[in-house]
Structure formats: structure tokens, C-alpha cells
Amino acid sequence: MESCVRNSGVMETTEPSLTRYFVPMLLLQMIAPSSEHFTVTGLQGPILAPFGGIVELSCQLSPPQNAEHMEIRWFRDRYTQPVYLYNNGKDLHVETISRYVERTELRKEAIREGKVTLRIHNVSVDDHGEYHCFFKDGDFDEEAITDVKVTATSLGIQILVHPPNTKGLLVECSTGGWFPQPQMEWRDSRGEIILPTSISHSQDTHKLFNMKMTLLLKQSSHKNVTCCLRNPVTGQEERTSIVLSDQLFPWNSVWILILSIILALLVIFIMVPSVALHRLQIPASDPHFQLDTMWLEDITVILCVLTVFITMIISFIYFKFRGILEYRIQASNISSGTLDKSTVEEEACMATLQNSET
């Protein structure tokens, strides 16, 4: 009987001690969901944002849980300068950067599952870069980073052919409205790359790139050239081709004519001494025969050299004078306003442009 009493006594004293431990544990389990640790998952890879368009950036809590009572902050490189700020059910626009106030909104349709989406309207070049999606619940916080790449591709590519001069034919390709800076190159009819003479760029007020590339052609070997541009982010290509007429290379026909004249004169100067010696019928044994022959040969060489020299001087003066004259006439006409836009373009191009976009 005593042992039974002792056992029951032990049982009676043990039950209250177990209750002491179980009650706090149950309370901790009830409180735990509100401060449960989580991770934040953002969109993978760079997000392409078209210039002037809309981009959406989403992030998700894992495991999924209600985030209505949390602080949700989107920011760039500075935590204290948020792009968008939400806290405990309220959108706090006062603390956000001014340029984002009217262009951003937070989509909260799935906030009870821990998912929110930041929508940015009228994307600009300044929106290019990293965005932090920051969740804070009590003393615990976590974030995810999303990379945004702004892209802009222009559909307007112009090719201008300048009037030919002694240096050759200058072809110029220009375009604007690109971001980031595009890759630019010339290609021939076979698709092979032609090294450009120069490439330059500038940026407009919207920070979009304006590109200019030139090509100096000294011969008519490239009758079909193509100006190609490629966006390095999207890989999108735009191109414009031009067919160059033989009339744009007038110095080729001029030089052919000059060379023909030189060759004709050389033939004449070589044949004249032979004909003269034949008509004089001086015997080879005559002591003056060798002297006359050497004299005629020297005269022939001198006349040939003079012919080539004079021809080169005349050609140089011709092309130089023509280039200066064309430049002065065009400059005077433009300054006096006698040429309209279509006339200037017609005189400057002197070619038929054939545009083909891919």
C-alpha cells in the first residue's frame, strides 16, 4: 500500500512539471509564423526594358506567406532612396525618388502569397541597372537583386554619298536613337566586312546614341555597300544598302583617257626616229650614224618624260580646281538660300539609294 501511495505521489508531482514545459512551447509555435525566416527570389537573368515602354519586376517570398504587414522596399544603389516603398498596407510616395513617383506602381494582387510586382512606365536610359527587392518583417529582412537592361533600336538609317574628289568617293552612314552603343560596320555584296575610314558617336538629351561611319572608296571595286548596325544586348540588326554607279567614279575614265594619250605619244616618239633614219638612208658605216641614233633616242626619252610630267600636272590641277570650285559653288548657294533641301540632297548624293531592312 505504501508503494502505491508513493507511486501515485510521484505521478502527481510529475504532471505539473510537464505542463510547465509544454505551455511555453505551444505559445512559441503560435507566435512563430509571424516571425518565420524567409528568402526572397527575384527574376533570373537580365530583364530587357524597351526604351519608352513598360517593364515589370517581380519577387516572391519563400516559403510563401502573407506580406501585407511587412515593409517592401524597391531601391537602386542607395537604401535610403527607394524607387517604391510599401509598409504595413500603405504606399509611402513621399520618401521615394521624385522621378519615379508618377512612373511606378506596385502590383499587390498576390501579396498574401508573398509576391509583389513593380511596374515602371515610360522607361528611360536612367532606369538601366540593378534593382533591390527588399522585404522586412520585424527584425528580420532579406532581399533579391534584379538586373535591368534598357534597349533602344533605331529603324532610321541614312546613307549619304558626297561629291567625288581627288581623294576618292566618300560614303557616310548615320543613324540615331540607339542604346546601348551599337556595333557598326560596312559590308560588301558578299557579306564581307569592309574596314571603315572613321566611326564617331554622340548622345542626345535622352542619352541615346547617334552614330556616324564613313567609307572612302578610291576605286569602283565595291559597287554595292551595306551599312550594318547591331544592338549588343538584343542582337537585333538593322541594315541599309546602296548601289554605287560607275558615274560616281569619273576619275577612272579620265585616267584611262590620260594613260591612252601617254601610250599613244610614247609609240609616236619611238616610231618617229626609226622612220627618220629610214628616210635619211644613212648607211650604218657612216660615222654620223651612231651620233644621230643616240641623239634621236635622247630626244625621245626627254619628250616621254616631259609628256608624263605635264600630264600629271594637268590632271592634278584639274581635279584640285574642280573640287574647290564645286565646294565654293555649293557653299555660296546654301548661304544665299538659292538651293532648297531636295536640290542639296540631289547634288550631294548623285546616286540612287536602295534601302533594304532586315
Side-chain angles (χ1 to χ4, degrees), residues 275-318:
V275 173
L277 286 174
H278 180 71
R279 286 184 178 180
L280 291 173
Q281 295 181 351
I282 300 173
S285 59
D286 192 321
H288 296 286
F289 178 80
Q290 248 183 348
L291 293 174
D292 292 340
T293 304
M294 291 176 64
W295 179 79
L296 289 172
E297 287 177 355
D298 292 341
I299 292 297
T300 303
V301 172
I302 293 171
L303 289 174
C304 289
V305 172
L306 286 174
T307 303
V308 174
F309 182 70
I310 293 170
T311 304
M312 291 178 66
I313 291 177
I314 293 173
S315 302
F316 177 78
I317 294 173
Y318 165 73

Side-chain angles (χ1 to χ4, degrees), residues 118-130:
L118 177 68
R119 176 179 290 179
I120 303 176
H121 298 265
N122 193 18
V123 173
S124 67
V125 172
D126 292 330
D127 298 329
H128 186 89
E130 292 183 345

Side-chain angles (χ1 to χ4, degrees), residues 98-116:
S98 58
R99 70 172 184 269
Y100 285 104
V101 172
E102 296 182 356
R103 296 194 301 119
T104 56
E105 60 175 313
L106 191 67
R107 306 297 300 272
K108 302 183 285 286
E109 293 86 351
I111 194 171
R112 293 187 177 183
E113 288 77 36
K115 181 180 180 180
V116 293

Side-chain angles (χ1 to χ4, degrees), residues 153 155 157 187 226-229 236-241 355-358:
T153 301
L155 299 178
I157 303 176
R187 294 181 188 172
T226 303
C227 179
C228 302
L229 290 102
Q236 183 178 353
E237 278 194 6
E238 297 295 334
R239 61 182 65 188
T240 296
S241 300
N355 297 335
S356 60
E357 295 179 358
T358 59

Side-chain angles (χ1 to χ4, degrees), residues 51-257:
F51 179 83
I54 299 174
V55 62
E56 292 186 348
L57 309 177
S58 300
C59 53
Q60 170 76 56
L61 292 180
S62 181
Q65 54 188 285
N66 191 353
E68 288 180 315
H69 63 285
M70 298 183 186
E71 176 187 326
I72 304 174
R73 181 187 296 259
W74 285 90
F75 64 94
R76 302 291 301 275
D77 52 347
R78 294 186 181 180
Y79 174 85
T80 56
Q81 297 180 354
V83 173
Y84 201 97
L85 181 59
Y86 168 92
N87 191 6
N88 196 22
K90 295 181 180 180
D91 298 315
L92 305 178
H93 298 293
V94 178
E95 300 184 30
T96 59
I97 302 175
S98 58
R99 70 172 184 269
Y100 285 104
V101 172
E102 296 182 356
R103 296 194 301 119
T104 56
E105 60 175 313
L106 191 67
R107 306 297 300 272
K108 302 183 285 286
E109 293 86 351
I111 194 171
R112 293 187 177 183
E113 288 77 36
K115 181 180 180 180
V116 293
T117 300
L118 177 68
R119 176 179 290 179
I120 303 176
H121 298 265
N122 193 18
V123 173
S124 67
V125 172
D126 292 330
D127 298 329
H128 186 89
E130 292 183 345
Y131 288 77
H132 297 249
C133 177
F134 178 86
F135 281 80
K136 184 176 183 181
D137 186 12
D139 295 331
F140 182 78
D141 58 71
E142 193 62 71
E143 68 175 18
I145 300 176
T146 303
D147 188 21
V148 174
K149 293 187 178 297
V150 178
T151 63
T153 301
S154 175
L155 299 178
I157 303 176
Q158 296 180 346
I159 294 182
L160 175 66
V161 181
H162 292 268
N165 53 34
T166 53
K167 295 181 180 180
L169 182 67
L170 185 65
V171 184
E172 179 183 298
C173 178
S174 59
T175 181
W178 290 79
F179 193 86
Q181 183 177 344
Q183 300 167 351
M184 197 174 191
E185 61 189 14
W186 290 105
R187 294 181 188 172
D188 59 15
S189 56
R190 295 174 295 181
E192 296 181 357
I193 296 175
I194 309 173
L195 293 178
T197 304
S198 66
I199 297 179
S200 60
H201 70 272
S202 62
Q203 287 182 276
D204 58 19
T205 54
H206 299 291
K207 298 184 180 180
L208 298 178
F209 283 90
N210 299 321
M211 305 295 299
K212 182 183 290 185
M213 179 174 62
T214 61
L215 177 65
L216 183 62
L217 297 174
K218 297 183 179 180
Q219 55 185 356
S220 58
S221 57
H222 300 293
K223 292 186 177 181
N224 187 346
V225 292
T226 303
C227 179
C228 302
L229 290 102
R230 181 178 180 272
N231 190 307
V233 175
T234 63
Q236 183 178 353
E237 278 194 6
E238 297 295 334
R239 61 182 65 188
T240 296
S241 300
I242 180 174
V243 178
L244 301 174
S245 173
D246 290 333
Q247 296 178 356
L248 294 172
F249 301 89
W251 59 87
N252 289 344
S253 57
V254 172
W255 277 112
I256 291 172
L257 179 61

